[in-house]
Amino acid sequence: MKIRQENVSATKWDSNGSELGSADLREHSSHPFGANVFSPAVQQERLSSETYSKLQETLATGTTLDPALADEVAEAMMAWALEQGATHFTHVFQPLTGLTAEKHDSFFDPVGDGTALAKFRGKELVQGEPDASSFPTGGLRATFEARGYTAWDPTSPAFLLENPNGALLCIPTAFASWTGEALDAKIPLLRSMDALSRAAVRALKLLGDEQAQRVFTTVGPEQEYFLIDEQYFYSRPDLVTTGRTLFGAKPPKGHELDDHYFGSIPERVLSCMLDAEAELAKVGVPVKTRHNEVAPSQYEIAPVFENSNVGSDHQQLTMQILQSVARKYGLVCLLHEKPFAGVNGSGKHNNWSMSTDTGHNLMDPGATPAENVSFMFFCSAVIQAVNKHQGLLRASVANLGQDHRLGANEAPPAIISIFLGAELDRAFESITTEGKDATTEGSMMNLGTAVLPELPKHGGDRNRTSPFAFTGNKFEFRALGSSMSLSFPNTVLNTTVAEAIDDLSDQLEAKLSGDGSVNDAVAEVVAESYNANKQICFGGDNYDEEWHAEAERRGLKNLRTTPDALPEVIAPSTVQAFENYGVLNERELESRYEVWLEQYAVGANIEAETAREMARTMLLPAALRHLAMIEGAGVSSLSSEARALIDEFAEAIGKLEQANVYPDGIEGMELAEFARDSQLAAMADVREVADRLEKVVADDIWPLSKYSEILFIK
Ligand code: ADP
Ligand code: MG
């Protein structure tokens, strides 16, 4: 009988990495929140009071930074970093790869007498010049002007990343071309936050709030991920190369028993989580919740919400730290959207809201009539934005991995709709219905005369199947993929909601020029907007086939795959909203469209090539050995079964090999569609036969570790 060596050693690990010299995590002092952040507290201590207050003012008002401050800030930042053992600094940025990029520079410059001096000047803090030629730009930056530049984002605090052998000062930056076009995920997000702030402050003034100077969008992401033993990871070329298994039959036990969700967390995994959380705390990521997810070996981590920019940066850090800390425990963290076919994939819930600088959450229905009025206004704007830009929102969560997940009855469908909940449905219906029903208990006859019923923030009225759900004091956009940056989905939300707020404000302004009350005017605006957009609201089961038919009758978009969805990025309604608000111009949008299409096609091609190679050089030979064994034993009934399967397999591989040859001269959308319809389809056929083979080939001959091992040996 065969015992795979890795099964045995996979279960052996050292608790809390003794040889790594890590801190004792049982000590509270080992979790110092923000210890490695160049936070306002540290700034106050180390900067002159004048510079400190100017910097804080810049951050609060969103104005540009006075370059004269930079030298002093740089000096203080370097001194702080050197004291904590840093030797290098880096401008971290988020190019269109969806990942975080960093290039390290030493603080130390040789001074000519054989020694070196630590130096970090304001201009090095404010601007870096990484060679941009290797980052995707979708044709935005011709190679002859291959320089991009990174610009310091003072609104996202700098921090130290520790390594057993030193520390690195990380400075969050934006990344643009020499001509000022955005080449990254952060610039449009910042621009969209400004746009939303302007629109919301204007609306608040109309609604009678003169206090608010700035409105911040907030984001609290819930991140799902898998942790598997690294030996399985490294034994599988598909996991190593593509982040997901391209082969693997369904195990006898999956999550049918529903015994994993919120189950007790295995010791090794918990140790890893505690360590990752301690690291995240040090860099100021406010991690709050952890639990088991539905699939075996699947988990979730969620922080307390922050403003969208800092929250997005922290989310990138969370993914990075989860992956690096996992390795200390002999684990690999999988962030792919669908690492195991037939097993639930991983997504990311994007909780989103807007808050004033005076602390008012605009998505909180509040307890007073005035708060209710404001809430209904802003809530209508969200409904209008999501309805108008439903295709773009869908496109904002499109990638190769998502195509295996969205619509697969474990994640929202590709159709965007909004779940408001019974109370809010009733509230909207009651202002839009003529001869308002005064008898319904808790209903709002008209805005301002009755108070909204207390909406449950937690509790049963939850629709887990909805892609976009109101959850008490925020909206939860549930369709993001686990590997994604939060930036673009939030850029889309902020920009489109800004547009809707301004549209409703225009209407409100026109009505206010008459002599009705603000409340009556808001009620009218809300009623009109809701009536025009309510087809996007759906409270039923989003997994139900009937919903797909109903959605079609309502005229909602159902963009099933990434190539179907991406054209929304350059649709006229997108260009108009994004240009109006100065978030991305048409060229910048086109560049994203091209980059994302290319990433899809390249990703699919890598998968198809990997699948071909594994099928041809690992699985087919295994099947042939199995056949030889049967023939050696002379059992003819079994050998004809095996032969038939092998013939089928060889034929499917042949078709995949053909599909892996691109037709001449296709590119862009044509190539993406070819990848989807030819390569991925041929790959699925190969896999289907391979997974049947896995069930019959002798276990000691089958060369790949199986789902029953990867997902269950902990
Ligand atoms: P539940 O899932 O039970 O509603 P919470 O309300 O605590 O749990 O929030 C879940 C997620 O929503 C957390 O990541 C949290 O940070 C985030 N969240 C809560 N309030 C807001 C808000 N105003 N804006 C953005 N995210 C929020
Ligand atoms: Mg969840």
Side-chain angles (χ1 to χ4, degrees), residues 25 93 96 99 142 147 165 168 276 339 366 373 413 464 535 539 561 575 589 611 677 681 703:
L25 296 176
F93 56 101
L96 299 179
L99 305 172
R147 276 195 301 183
N165 293 326
L168 174 69
V373 169
R464 301 235 146 250
Q535 66 269 22
T561 67
V575 175
L589 283 166
D677 301 334

Side-chain angles (χ1 to χ4, degrees), residues 259-285:
D259 52 357
H260 193 255
Y261 192 58
F262 281 24
S264 71
I265 301 175
E267 192 168 84
R268 164 157 59 153
V269 169
L270 187 54
S271 301
C272 172
M273 287 176 170
L274 286 166
D275 197 343
E277 287 166 12
E279 290 303 318
L280 287 164
K282 278 195 234 162
V283 293
V285 179

Side-chain angles (χ1 to χ4, degrees), residues 94 153 182 184-196 214 217 219 307-313 352 485-495 578 582-584 592:
Q94 295 157 32
D153 169 16
D184 74 344
K186 184 189 268 285
I187 294 174
L189 178 62
L190 287 170
R191 291 175 181 162
S192 75
M193 289 171 71
D194 279 342
L196 185 128
R214 201 170 155 79
T217 51
V219 66
N307 84 52
S308 304
N309 178 38
V310 175
S312 295
D313 282 355
W352 177 93
S485 154
L486 300 179
S487 298
F488 194 63
N490 285 285
T491 300
V492 168
L493 273 172
N494 298 347
T495 309
F578 274 62
V583 174
L584 288 170
R592 277 161 173 73

Side-chain angles (χ1 to χ4, degrees), residues 276-533:
E277 287 166 12
E279 290 303 318
L280 287 164
K282 278 195 234 162
V283 293
V285 179
V287 175
K288 183 81 177 161
T289 321
R290 64 170 98 97
H291 61 77
N292 278 4
E293 258 303 329
V294 170
S297 288
Q298 191 186 31
Y299 310 95
E300 180 176 301
I301 183 169
V304 174
F305 66 94
E306 301 179 276
N307 84 52
S308 304
N309 178 38
V310 175
S312 295
D313 282 355
H314 280 170
Q315 175 63 25
Q316 295 295 107
L317 257 179
T318 301
M319 293 193 284
Q320 187 183 334
I321 286 177
L322 278 175
Q323 288 183 307
S324 65
V325 171
R327 297 302 313 282
K328 289 211 267 175
Y329 295 85
L331 297 166
V332 171
C333 171
L334 302 179
L335 293 172
H336 194 281
E337 278 75 17
K338 190 74 176 177
F340 307 99
V343 175
N344 271 13
S346 300
K348 182 137 64 190
H349 291 179
N350 186 99
N351 293 276
W352 177 93
S353 188
M354 307 173 259
S355 268
T356 64
D357 52 356
T358 52
H360 173 200
N361 176 359
L362 301 182
M363 290 292 102
D364 190 333
T368 65
E371 285 168 343
N372 285 179
V373 169
S374 155
F375 167 73
M376 292 300 273
F377 179 88
F378 286 108
C379 193
S380 303
V382 175
I383 297 171
Q384 178 169 319
V386 172
N387 185 39
K388 177 171 178 190
H389 295 282
Q390 49 181 280
L392 178 59
L393 273 168
R394 162 67 183 95
S396 77
V397 297
N399 73 22
L400 182 62
Q402 286 277 79
D403 286 6
H404 300 289
R405 200 178 78 89
L406 292 182
N409 283 8
E410 57 173 86
I415 306 162
I416 300 290
S417 67
I418 301 180
F419 171 77
L420 290 175
E423 292 81 5
L424 212 48
D425 269 338
R426 221 180 300 128
F428 274 106
E429 290 298 336
S430 75
I431 12 176
T432 51
T433 318
E434 299 294 343
K436 290 140 188 166
D437 178 9
T439 58
T440 316
E441 206 216 328
S443 78
M444 192 171 42
M445 275 90 71
N446 56 57
L447 284 164
T449 61
V451 174
L452 275 177
E454 184 73 15
L455 301 182
K457 293 200 170 67
H458 302 271
D461 190 20
R462 278 288 182 98
N463 185 330
R464 301 235 146 250
T465 67
S466 173
F468 203 92
F470 181 71
T471 46
N473 57 1
K474 60 191 186 285
F475 274 98
E476 195 169 333
F477 185 20
R478 300 222 182 91
L480 278 73
S482 51
S483 73
M484 287 181 168
S485 154
L486 300 179
S487 298
F488 194 63
N490 285 285
T491 300
V492 168
L493 273 172
N494 298 347
T495 309
T496 59
V497 173
E499 181 192 52
I501 291 174
D502 271 337
D503 179 47
L504 299 189
S505 291
D506 289 345
Q507 295 175 36
L508 187 59
E509 228 163 28
K511 291 190 199 293
L512 287 177
S513 58
D515 39 40
S517 73
V518 177
N519 287 350
D520 291 344
V522 172
E524 279 174 44
V525 169
V526 166
E528 281 165 30
S529 173
Y530 181 72
N531 275 332
N533 293 289

